[in-house]
Amino acid sequence: MSSRRVVAIVPAAGSGERLGAGRPKALVPVAGEPMVVRAVDGLLSSGAVDDVVVVAPASHVDAMASVLPARARVVPGGADRVASVALGLAAVDDADVVLVHDAARCLCPGAVAQAVVAAVRDGHGAVIPALPIADTVRRVDPGGRVVGPVDRTGLLAVQTPQGFRPDVLRRAHEAALGSSAAARATDDAGLVEAVGGEVVTVPGDPRAFKITTPLDLAMAEALLGTTAPLAGAVGDP
Ligand code: C5P
């Protein structure tokens, strides 16, 4: 029987061009601390995660290792997110639950990781945190013309950490190797779905939003910097 051990893979090998910081996005500081450090600390302090494998740009393995806690192993990543997660997965040897968590969702509360791990241990092979969509959604053609309404009922926005039984995640990644599903997939649950696997949801958290643009970064810093003052300021004269 395999041990009760949770290993989190943190894909952090993206270039972060949309953020325009001139360095890998995961190393961009959010209120003074690199995103990847915040993401790893969040996982470890949740109490739900035993070990972390960080997947870094090949050129920045040492740079990431030097800022991360010793419990985080750092391995070089690949050309896209799917390849990077596969390389992280290859470094996981002993686990009953594997989480995959984007470094860019670095303010995710620990309760989300706890809920995802609990659901995998309840017997689900693939678990994703998700939230209802607030905006109205439309499908458009390549010219930007609306081609039809989309019923928001039953649509959720998907976050990370996503949790998997290791055999389920490995099978999905093996099948994705060289397939078009890998090119399209923006998350790991998508690869599980592509091989017919069942994916269940647990409630996500708005603070698990992904930092992609300079505005996202400003919002993350505002959230970190103003939580306490805002609470005290309500109703102040
Ligand atoms: O670019 P985007 O924000 O969608 O990337 C999602 C996550 O995947 C980020 O944490 C990014 O660092 C990671 N990624 C990766 N390897 C790549 C591309 C993206 O680990 N080659």
Side-chain angles (χ1 to χ4, degrees):
M1 204 186 128
S2 76
S3 57
R4 277 173 73 84
R5 190 166 191 77
V6 180
V7 179
I9 300 167
V10 177
S15 62
E17 270 159 31
R18 285 169 291 180
L19 202 53
R23 62 176 131 178
K25 180 165 78 174
L27 284 172
V28 171
V30 180
E33 238 190 308
M35 261 181 238
V36 67
V37 175
R38 288 191 179 276
V40 168
D41 285 349
L43 288 166
L44 291 174
S45 66
S46 74
V49 172
D50 297 293
D51 283 308
V52 180
V53 176
V54 172
V55 189
S59 53
H60 287 74
V61 170
D62 292 342
M64 279 202 192
S66 71
V67 293
L68 285 165
R71 259 164 91 192
R73 241 181 326 153
V74 184
V75 300
D80 56 27
R81 187 184 182 284
V82 174
S84 292
V85 173
L87 288 162
L89 191 54
V92 175
D93 38 24
D94 182 27
D96 71 322
V97 181
V98 175
L99 298 184
V100 182
H101 183 42
D102 288 337
R105 297 184 188 272
C106 63
L107 300 190
C108 181
V112 179
Q114 290 168 9
V116 169
V117 169
V120 176
R121 286 193 169 145
D122 273 352
H124 299 291
V127 179
I128 55 178
L131 285 178
I133 297 171
D135 289 319
T136 295
V137 178
R138 290 281 184 280
R139 188 179 305 282
V140 296
D141 68 15
R145 263 183 305 268
V146 171
V147 295
V150 177
D151 183 1
R152 216 168 45 187
T153 318
L155 285 186
L156 294 177
V158 173
Q159 304 180 319
T160 72
Q162 302 188 347
F164 305 90
R165 257 191 9 238
D167 60 303
V168 170
L169 188 58
R170 282 187 210 283
R171 193 155 18 94
H173 271 271
E174 276 159 24
L177 269 181
S179 85
S180 59
R184 284 195 310 271
T186 53
D187 71 353
D188 297 276
L191 300 181
V192 173
E193 288 157 44
V195 293
E198 188 190 63
V199 180
V200 302
T201 63
V202 296
D205 189 292
R207 289 164 291 183
F209 71 98
K210 185 165 73 170
I211 299 175
T212 306
T213 65
L215 177 64
D216 298 329
L217 187 56
M219 288 197 298
E221 296 201 319
L223 207 54
L224 286 167
T226 58
T227 304
L230 264 185
V234 175
D236 278 357

